[in-house]
Amino acid sequence: MDDGGEQTPELRTLQQKVAYMVEKTFPGERISGRYFSELVRERGGSLSHSYFSNILAGKVTDPSEEILKALGLGFGVDWRFFKEESEVVDEVVAGLQFLAKQRTGEISGFAGRGVGENGLPPELLQLALSLLEGSEAENGSGTPRKRSGEPEG
């Protein structure tokens, strides 16, 4: 999947998915297995620090559903993201890209009507990202276009 500039890494193995989530959830930080294990415990799950380290090292490839749920708790994502051949991967990646653009101010004032408790479907997130990128291309500066009525800045 390509968001128009940032190439999404291949996310097929558990190790790749966990490494990606570490990078996106804790950008610029080195987190220890102990830190992540404590985070999971605080959120109501259970995952040993050594098991987490073994996942990151690629030594664990087929964990139980309980372990996948613990990973989901720790990263704050749907645990099915970590399953093999998961259809949830695209949804989580699109959501992370959308949140990153919100944090940088590229997307603001977004409101969804009739959005359920699961949030926006990945197709709508991708549409919003593509509209934003189209707007930036029209503007030619790589920055979001000014909405009418906004003060000059």
Side-chain angles (χ1 to χ4, degrees):
M1 184 173 82
D2 186 353
D3 74 347
E6 179 184 330
Q7 192 72 19
T8 302
E10 183 177 22
L11 300 174
R12 289 191 180 152
T13 68
L14 179 63
Q15 178 188 23
Q16 290 168 333
K17 292 173 184 179
V18 171
Y20 178 79
M21 289 305 300
V22 166
E23 177 186 326
K24 294 300 180 183
T25 307
F26 308 99
E29 299 177 40
R30 276 191 66 121
I31 65 157
S32 69
R34 289 190 192 282
Y35 174 84
F36 192 80
S37 176
E38 180 63 22
L39 185 63
V40 170
R41 189 188 65 72
E42 289 171 3
R43 295 178 178 176
S46 177
L47 179 68
S48 77
H49 64 87
S50 58
Y51 202 86
F52 180 74
S53 297
N54 285 335
I55 291 172
L56 276 175
K59 295 177 182 176
V60 174
T61 58
D62 191 24
S64 69
E65 193 173 287
E66 185 176 316
I67 295 297
L68 298 180
K69 288 179 179 180
L71 289 171
L73 280 173
F75 290 115
V77 299
D78 189 312
W79 67 273
R80 292 171 293 188
F81 171 79
F82 300 103
K83 290 179 78 170
E84 282 190 49
E85 302 298 322
S86 176
E87 67 279 356
V88 181
V89 172
D90 288 340
E91 182 178 340
V92 172
V93 170
L96 287 170
Q97 292 168 346
F98 192 82
L99 287 173
K101 290 192 182 281
Q102 277 186 308
R103 286 186 187 135
T104 62
E106 294 177 68
I107 297 175
S108 65
F110 183 81
R113 294 185 184 167
V115 175
E117 63 184 46
N118 294 329
L120 292 173
E123 299 81 20
L124 285 179
L125 287 173
Q126 288 295 4
L127 174 63
L129 289 169
S130 67
L131 291 173
L132 175 66
E133 289 159 3
S135 174
E136 291 170 355
E138 286 177 24
N139 190 17
S141 66
T143 58
R145 295 179 70 177
K146 183 180 89 62
R147 293 180 292 197
S148 62
E150 280 186 346
E152 293 292 328

